[in-house]
Amino acid sequence: MSIFRSFALLGFFLLVSNQSYAEAISKDYQKNCAREQVAEHQGIKGKALTEEDFTAYCGCQADFISKTASNRQVNELVMNPKAKPEWLKVIELKAMKACFTDPKMTT
């Protein structure tokens, strides 16, 4: 019974630590995403866009990445939030498709 408790406690710790990593990636990633989106979309709608205009999209994308990326990949992003490794570019493309088809997303 003691071994079972140890494994259960270890599993719980890993789950909680993974959740905190997901929250860290979410906050940092969303800030960087919003900045990038503002820079990419300057002057498109005829008005000055702000980071708030991309809050829903970047939140969707961060959520998709934190659910899809491996623990190692999430850790890599937490350590260097501005990094753009190849695996992230692939997941971002998938996230873009998923977020654009999300009924909660509006333009």
Side-chain angles (χ1 to χ4, degrees):
M1 192 65 139
S2 178
I3 293 174
F4 176 73
R5 281 190 206 160
S6 297
F7 280 117
L9 186 59
L10 178 62
F12 177 75
F13 175 73
L14 290 174
L15 181 65
V16 170
S17 67
N18 192 35
Q19 180 64 28
S20 65
Y21 275 158
E23 289 171 9
I25 184 180
S26 183
K27 289 179 184 179
D28 290 335
Y29 182 85
Q30 285 182 50
K31 287 178 186 177
N32 292 333
C33 171
R35 287 184 195 125
E36 289 174 8
Q37 293 300 318
V38 168
E40 289 178 21
H41 293 88
Q42 284 182 332
I44 288 181
K45 282 191 170 180
K47 69 171 190 145
L49 295 172
T50 65
E51 292 181 13
E52 289 80 33
D53 294 322
F54 297 99
T55 301
Y57 172 74
C58 291
C60 177
Q61 204 169 24
D63 187 48
F64 185 92
I65 291 169
S66 63
K67 290 178 180 176
T68 306
S70 70
N71 289 340
R72 181 190 59 77
Q73 291 168 327
V74 169
N75 188 34
E76 184 179 340
L77 287 180
V78 169
M79 296 301 179
N80 187 2
K82 293 184 180 181
K84 285 285 189 178
E86 283 302 314
W87 63 262
L88 179 59
K89 293 174 187 176
V90 172
I91 293 176
E92 283 179 334
L93 285 173
K94 292 177 183 176
M96 184 184 348
K97 292 175 186 174
C99 291
F100 283 147
T101 59
D102 188 340
K104 293 180 275 187
M105 297 294 298
T106 59
T107 55

